[in-house]
Amino acid sequence: MKHFTPRRYKGTSGAAPGAAPGTAMPPRPRRPRLAEVARAAGVSAASVSRLMSGKARVAPATRQRIVAAAERLGFDLARGRQPRIIAFLLSNRNVLHPFHSAVLVGAEAYCAEHDYALLFLPYHYPAAAAAKSLSLPEILQNRRTVSGAIVAGTNSAALLERLTTQGLPWVALGNNILGAQGPCNGAVYFDDIGGAEQLTKYLIGLGHRRVGFAGNLRLPWYARRFQGYQAALAGAGLTPMLGEVHTREGEEMGYVAAKLLLQRSAPPTAIFAGDDSAARGVYLAARDCGLEIPRQLSVAGFNDTLEAAALHPKLTSVRVFTEELGKQLAETLLQRIERPDSPPAALALPTLLIQRESCGPAPLHRRLAAARGA
Amino acid sequence: MKHFTPRRYKGTSGAAPGAAPGTAMPPRPRRPRLAEVARAAGVSAASVSRLMSGKARVAPATRQRIVAAAERLGFDLARGRQPRIIAFLLSNRNVLHPFHSAVLVGAEAYCAEHDYALLFLPYHYPAAAAAKSLSLPEILQNRRTVSGAIVAGTNSAALLERLTTQGLPWVALGNNILGAQGPCNGAVYFDDIGGAEQLTKYLIGLGHRRVGFAGNLRLPWYARRFQGYQAALAGAGLTPMLGEVHTREGEEMGYVAAKLLLQRSAPPTAIFAGDDSAARGVYLAARDCGLEIPRQLSVAGFNDTLEAAALHPKLTSVRVFTEELGKQLAETLLQRIERPDSPPAALALPTLLIQRESCGPAPLHRRLAAARGA
DNA sequence: TTGAAAGCGCTAACAC
DNA sequence: GTGTTAGCGCTTTCAA
């Protein structure tokens, strides 16, 4: 530890040595010493030390006198205490999407309630890098400043291994971890597989038999949703319809995938877009094909970000409780920091299907319903 | 400063005293001492101390030996160095909008390049509070952990005053400061007044004579845009049309304001929404009134967030270079931290009109043009 | 630039 | 719970 001993201002004069004699230097206030506080408060240095470290009880009266003296002298009783800071590691993302914004806000709120501050730390590394070859951001290289990390964005199991060998407590957002078999200890999940399954069942329930999926399966979040989608279809004896896409993600991906699906000889009557941005692309493709949503094509998204309600017609989507997710991540991490020996567990948050106006009965159903009505 | 003196592990045995005799305690590794590094490197403790503090030159050969020894023993040569952290204060906001997300990302990028980490610090306080009555987040109460603050969100001049008396260097995002007369020193602005003026001139150029404004003037960002709007109208001899709104902001505000404007006996042919969210509300109101955009009503927004391009028809808006804004904020702050005596200056970033599909010629113009064509 | 040694600020051990 | 006192870990001084 550094001891910011201001020897240049030795003694009590307050004037810097070397000042021209006779010059009335404004007495630059020295950094106050613990011993001075003790003297001013009429207690021993040990008591002040004890109060500061919190390692032993101090009588209320004593405490009060010390606090008052410290205040008077401008002595920081918290100095030397390790800062309570955790890092929000956002891996391999170039922008902070509303999704992760909300996770960040939730995490910060929980941290603030527990007197921790949150460091926003974007970080890029190759997905295939081995644990040992990863060089963490400098501020994580020791536990001096940062007590732990929430690991969000897209990550590899290798990074988590690296953090473990570094001795830094962490919790990961489990859904976007590449190359992990099964649920990962120390991760918090949201149930996107279940949500996707529920959404797909809802579409099937509307009478759709040909339901397309717009997503790039090389990205873990799309892959997981595809999994739920597939499960629901299998349960109804239907086959998946996937647009083969090489665009990575977002609106463009959704547009291309939807176009490919709609060009088929037997096009889908509903499209499940891997996320709300992709759904925006699907909307564009539908417009291009002259298809009215939801009369001729049903569209659904995922994540229920602001975009979902901004689209016209409003998008049916699956809500992820992002702020809650952030809070859970923070809570789990703080527990691990404060009780390192407590058993790590994997936690999964539910998702919620939000029905809006972008999904309707399948065209055939509609015709049948109309016929029945007539 | 705390001296984490592990007296319980005194000596070199590594075994905790009090362990049952004969029990082979795994020698818990003690925190290594500076003196040990010195011994291992074959130099004096003073040299190691000098290397760590950087206050005196160390010969390259010596440095190398010390670094190697420290590495071997797991001694952190950076310990005791003040962490390079700045705070991103987001005041009086409940959510992290894409706008501020981008500012945050830009600021972080600049900080990372200069070896600073960025703390995400939402903060709520009453707009009318006096400087002295404000209690800052605890982590800002001394300069031990945080070296400075970027002040974003909605702020009062009192907060800036408070930070100054606290001795914490700061830079503010100037556009949303309440109760400041004229540009404020130590603030970075983006030219929303100019952008609003340019946008309004563009609408006038399209032939619109009745241009409405949807915004709540009690909010500083809307008020500034109204100012530019008013200037452009005045230049063309036109009068402002403002929907009187008590809803605070966003889509709802835009909807209500637009409805009120469109109910007038001489309704506007174009509406300038104070921001893109408000424009969304205007779109809804237009739909309700059976008006087609842009044929019967032109709509423009501000900020050019993702929403602008997501709306249909795509929204004409004024782009704010948010990431650049973040970088400028960070750059200005780091300069003030490293050269506290350098003159503070107010800086303004330009904005850019992005023409999309939501604005067209005024209905009268169109009729004239059609007549000419016929 | 370096080491020896003095010194500083703080903490821990122990007595009451 | 508090003061006394020893002493730790680091920094600075000083001389070379």
Side-chain angles (χ1 to χ4, degrees):
Chain A
M1 295 276 127
K2 227 188 193 171
H3 289 222
F4 298 89
T5 320
R7 308 222 176 195
R8 291 184 300 161
Y9 303 109
K10 223 181 254 182
T12 50
S13 84
T23 309
M25 278 282 281
R28 170 119 74 107
R30 249 184 1 151
R31 175 193 287 276
R33 308 274 124 92
L34 175 145
E36 298 170 43
V37 177
R39 193 156 8 91
V43 299
S44 74
S47 291
V48 180
S49 175
R50 279 189 278 255
L51 175 65
M52 286 172 66
S53 69
K55 276 181 195 159
R57 296 284 126 77
V58 206
T62 315
R63 154 177 261 112
Q64 216 163 17
R65 269 156 57 217
I66 296 176
V67 169
E71 178 99 9
R72 203 162 58 245
L73 299 176
F75 181 89
D76 177 14
L77 286 173
R79 93 199 214 181
R81 232 201 320 263
Q82 198 201 2
R84 289 162 67 92
I85 296 180
I86 71 167
F88 187 93
L89 206 61
L90 183 63
S91 301
N92 303 310
R93 301 278 171 151
N94 289 313
V95 288
L96 178 56
H97 292 292
F99 182 93
H100 273 103
S101 285
V103 179
L104 178 73
V105 166
E108 196 285 332
Y110 188 91
C111 286
E113 276 170 23
H114 294 76
D115 276 317
Y116 274 86
L118 191 67
L119 209 60
F120 174 62
L121 203 60
Y123 173 53
H124 288 262
Y125 64 93
K132 271 156 205 168
S133 70
L134 286 170
S135 82
L136 296 176
E138 186 174 319
I139 200 159
L140 296 187
Q141 304 210 355
N142 58 64
R143 293 195 54 179
R144 205 165 70 277
T145 357
V146 171
S147 310
I150 290 174
V151 182
T154 312
N155 290 282
S156 67
L159 176 82
L160 303 178
E161 199 187 311
R162 182 75 176 76
L163 289 170
T164 304
T165 59
Q166 193 72 219
L168 194 77
W170 55 265
V171 200
L173 202 173
N175 296 65
N176 300 350
I177 299 176
L178 299 153
Q181 274 83 337
C184 183
N185 262 346
V188 173
Y189 291 79
F190 59 92
D191 184 20
D192 47 359
I193 300 179
E197 187 168 350
Q198 198 192 343
L199 170 57
T200 311
K201 280 184 179 157
Y202 164 71
L203 291 171
I204 295 170
L206 286 171
H208 297 277
R209 314 299 292 169
R210 295 195 306 280
V211 180
F213 185 89
N216 174 351
L217 301 193
R218 280 168 306 181
L219 294 174
W221 53 97
Y222 291 139
R224 293 169 60 90
R225 286 153 202 191
F226 185 75
Q227 214 177 307
Y229 155 84
Q230 227 173 353
L233 289 186
L238 303 173
T239 39
M241 303 176 71
L242 175 67
E244 203 48 50
V245 183
H246 293 92
T247 309
R248 286 185 56 80
E249 60 173 325
E251 175 178 311
E252 204 179 314
M253 187 281 291
Y255 179 83
V256 175
K259 267 296 180 75
L260 289 170
L261 286 166
L262 295 173
Q263 278 165 8
R264 297 197 181 181
S265 53
T269 59
I271 295 182
F272 174 177
D275 57 30
D276 294 347
S277 298
R280 229 168 56 207
V282 176
Y283 270 51
L284 291 176
R287 254 186 217 114
D288 277 10
C289 296
L291 294 172
E292 191 190 316
I293 300 169
R295 203 171 52 77
Q296 296 164 296
L297 180 71
S298 289
V299 181
F302 208 104
N303 280 359
D304 195 38
T305 48
L306 282 179
E307 298 175 271
L311 283 169
H312 184 80
K314 292 190 169 151
L315 182 69
T316 287
S317 190
V318 176
R319 179 169 300 169
V320 177
F321 298 95
T322 40
E323 274 199 43
E324 184 56 30
L325 189 53
K327 286 185 184 180
Q328 288 288 350
L329 284 162
E331 181 178 351
T332 311
L333 178 59
L334 294 196
Q335 247 162 34
R336 297 191 113 200
I337 290 172
E338 272 147 34
R339 268 195 293 280
D341 304 323
S342 63
L347 178 78
L349 254 61
T351 50
L352 176 64
L353 175 62
I354 304 286
Q355 299 178 20
R356 294 209 184 80
E357 296 132 30
S358 65
C359 295
L364 179 64
H365 264 237
R366 192 177 291 105
R367 252 175 280 145
L368 286 175
R372 238 182 259 124
Chain B
M1 276 303 101
K2 230 186 193 172
H3 289 222
F4 298 89
T5 319
R7 307 224 179 197
R8 290 185 300 158
Y9 304 112
K10 222 182 256 182
T12 50
S13 84
T23 310
M25 278 283 280
R28 169 114 78 103
R30 251 186 358 153
R31 175 194 286 274
R33 318 276 137 178
L34 175 145
E36 298 170 43
V37 176
R39 197 160 359 96
V43 299
S44 73
S47 292
V48 180
S49 173
R50 280 189 278 254
L51 175 66
M52 286 173 65
S53 68
K55 276 183 195 159
R57 296 285 124 75
V58 205
T62 316
R63 155 177 260 112
Q64 218 163 13
R65 272 159 52 217
I66 295 175
V67 169
E71 178 99 9
R72 206 162 57 244
L73 299 177
F75 181 89
D76 177 15
L77 287 172
R79 91 197 215 183
R81 241 211 300 276
Q82 198 202 2
R84 289 163 66 92
I85 296 180
I86 70 168
F88 186 94
L89 205 62
L90 182 63
S91 302
N92 303 311
R93 301 278 173 152
N94 289 314
V95 288
L96 178 55
H97 292 291
F99 182 92
H100 273 105
S101 284
V103 179
L104 178 73
V105 165
E108 196 285 332
Y110 188 91
C111 286
E113 278 170 24
H114 294 77
D115 277 316
Y116 274 87
L118 191 67
L119 210 60
F120 174 63
L121 203 61
Y123 173 53
H124 288 261
Y125 63 93
K132 271 156 205 167
S133 71
L134 286 170
S135 81
L136 296 176
E138 186 176 318
I139 200 160
L140 296 186
Q141 304 208 356
N142 57 64
R143 292 196 53 180
R144 205 165 72 276
T145 358
V146 171
S147 310
I150 291 174
V151 182
T154 311
N155 289 284
S156 66
L159 175 81
L160 304 177
E161 197 188 313
R162 183 75 177 76
L163 290 171
T164 304
T165 58
Q166 191 73 217
L168 194 78
W170 56 265
V171 201
L173 203 171
N175 296 65
N176 300 350
I177 300 175
L178 299 151
Q181 272 83 336
C184 181
N185 263 345
V188 172
Y189 291 80
F190 61 91
D191 184 20
D192 49 358
I193 300 179
E197 186 168 352
Q198 198 191 342
L199 171 57
T200 310
K201 279 184 178 158
Y202 164 71
L203 291 171
I204 296 170
L206 285 171
H208 297 278
R209 314 298 292 167
R210 294 195 306 279
V211 180
F213 185 89
N216 175 350
L217 301 193
R218 278 168 306 180
L219 294 174
W221 54 96
Y222 292 139
R224 293 170 60 90
R225 287 153 201 189
F226 185 75
Q227 212 178 308
Y229 154 86
Q230 226 174 354
L233 288 186
L238 302 174
T239 38
M241 302 176 73
L242 174 67
E244 205 48 49
V245 182
H246 292 93
T247 310
R248 285 186 56 80
E249 59 173 326
E251 176 179 311
E252 203 179 314
M253 186 280 292
Y255 179 84
V256 175
K259 267 297 181 73
L260 289 170
L261 285 165
L262 294 172
Q263 278 166 7
R264 297 198 182 182
S265 53
T269 60
I271 295 182
F272 174 177
D275 57 31
D276 294 346
S277 298
R280 229 168 56 208
V282 176
Y283 270 50
L284 291 177
R287 253 185 218 115
D288 276 9
C289 296
L291 293 172
E292 191 191 317
I293 299 170
R295 201 171 54 78
Q296 295 164 295
L297 180 70
S298 290
V299 181
F302 208 104
N303 280 359
D304 194 37
T305 48
L306 282 179
E307 298 175 272
L311 283 169
H312 184 81
K314 291 190 170 149
L315 182 69
T316 288
S317 190
V318 176
R319 178 169 300 168
V320 177
F321 298 96
T322 40
E323 274 200 42
E324 184 56 30
L325 188 55
K327 286 185 185 182
Q328 289 289 350
L329 284 161
E331 182 178 350
T332 310
L333 178 59
L334 294 197
Q335 248 162 35
R336 298 190 114 200
I337 290 172
E338 272 146 36
R339 269 197 293 283
D341 305 323
S342 63
L347 177 78
L349 254 61
T351 51
L352 176 65
L353 175 61
I354 304 286
Q355 299 177 18
R356 293 208 184 80
E357 296 132 30
S358 64
C359 296
L364 179 65
H365 264 236
R366 192 181 288 106
R367 252 176 279 145
L368 285 173
R372 238 182 260 123

